[in-house]
Amino acid sequence: AQKVTQAQTEISVVEKEDVTLDCVYETRDTTYYLFWYKQPPSGELVFLIRRNSFDEQNEISGRYSWNFQKSTSSFNFTITASQVVDSAVYFCALRTGANSKLTFGKGITLSVRP
Amino acid sequence: EPEVTQTPSHQVTQMGQEVILRCVPISNHLYFYWYRQILGQKVEFLVSFYNNEISEKSEIFDDQFSVERPDGSNFTLKIRSTKLEDSAMYFCASRPGREDYEQYFGPGTRLTVT
């Protein structure tokens, strides 16, 4: 069975603060894929990043960075210098197998105050 | 950029009625999915569809649910006799054949059962 745990439920920061969203996953498969999606108030799911289990390189994209650590089964997401537009629900998700479903965590509601 | 589309954006129906939610996946994608999100909760997998048949379904996807790809472009989710607890946002997603690609989500259909 696979599982994604996002222990933080709500985070509130002031604009320009850095914030890290935690994600811990469980799977017995050796090949798997990890994802982060953003759900703004408008409701759509916006893809942010995909990582496969063989690629532990951290990634940076503008103000966003991701830290993948297989040793702790974690795939954490950091937003640097947060902005009000970052306010959304962020979901971490896991997929194993060639055509398998995405298993989502419960999501973290991030509020960035001006 | 190609995108997944869903219609309608919002559907209101009475308990016991049948509803059909429609999706047009991205044209060269091979894997199709339906997910649902009850308000304020996590995104849950319903069903995956590949090569004109269901490849996986969740416990939620009982006999009241069915999926179809009637004409090679549309992908539909039918709920035969809606219940109050079917009220949710329903997301369609599609994915290319390559295993390492992410799922592309549509904007969702909000279903309200009264």
Side-chain angles (χ1 to χ4, degrees):
Chain A
Q2 53 198 46
K3 187 178 176 184
V4 175
T5 301
Q6 294 181 264
Q8 304 151 311
T9 52
E10 292 185 26
I11 300 175
S12 181
V13 299
V14 176
E15 211 170 14
K16 296 184 185 172
E17 280 186 38
D18 299 348
V19 58
T20 295
L21 311 181
D22 298 334
C23 173
V24 173
Y25 62 92
E26 292 176 36
T27 179
R28 292 184 179 176
D29 287 52
T30 54
T31 300
Y32 52 89
Y33 301 89
L34 294 161
F35 304 81
W36 276 94
Y37 284 86
K38 173 182 179 180
Q39 187 174 43
S42 48
E44 72 272 24
L45 287 165
V46 178
F47 165 76
L48 295 178
I49 190 171
R50 173 188 73 247
R51 256 295 171 264
N52 72 46
S53 51
F54 300 114
D55 183 2
E56 278 194 81
Q57 255 191 328
N58 291 329
E59 178 149 340
I60 298 174
S61 175
R63 296 184 297 107
Y64 295 170
S65 62
W66 291 269
N67 183 354
F68 175 29
Q69 292 199 342
K70 286 177 78 169
S71 59
T72 55
S73 297
S74 64
F75 186 43
N76 296 337
F77 173 27
T78 297
I79 302 174
T80 303
S82 58
Q83 298 176 1
V84 172
V85 293
D86 296 327
S87 297
V89 181
Y90 290 87
F91 291 97
C92 180
L94 168 69
R95 177 166 68 81
T96 62
N99 62 345
S100 189
K101 64 192 179 202
L102 282 175
T103 298
F104 284 82
K106 291 185 177 180
I108 302 169
T109 301
L110 175 64
S111 300
V112 182
R113 309 186 307 276
Chain B
E1 188 176 327
E3 54 185 25
V4 177
T5 59
Q6 290 185 243
T7 54
S9 55
H10 190 191
Q11 171 105 38
V12 182
T13 189
Q14 288 192 326
M15 199 166 52
Q17 295 295 305
E18 175 183 286
V19 294
I20 297 176
L21 309 183
R22 300 180 194 281
C23 168
V24 179
I26 295 172
S27 63
N28 60 347
H29 285 190
L30 301 181
Y31 297 92
F32 313 109
Y33 306 83
W34 283 101
Y35 293 82
R36 80 169 186 193
Q37 184 184 30
I38 295 171
L39 186 64
Q41 298 188 22
K42 69 176 179 179
V43 180
E44 299 175 290
F45 168 76
L46 290 178
V47 65
S48 59
F49 193 85
Y50 170 69
N51 202 23
N52 283 318
E53 60 183 24
I54 291 174
S55 48
E56 189 175 0
K57 59 183 180 180
S58 72
E59 291 175 354
I60 302 167
F61 194 87
D62 61 21
D63 292 344
Q64 292 299 313
F65 291 88
S66 62
V67 289
E68 230 182 10
R69 188 156 160 81
D71 56 11
S73 61
N74 290 284
F75 180 50
T76 61
L77 174 69
K78 182 193 290 187
I79 310 175
R80 289 188 228 298
S81 178
T82 50
K83 305 191 263 286
L84 293 176
E85 53 264 38
D86 293 327
S87 295
M89 181 75 95
Y90 288 81
F91 291 103
C92 173
S94 68
R95 183 170 71 82
R98 277 184 56 171
E99 182 176 319
D100 59 344
Y101 269 65
E102 65 272 14
Q103 294 176 19
Y104 293 75
F105 281 83
T109 293
R110 178 160 296 287
L111 176 65
T112 302
V113 182
T114 61

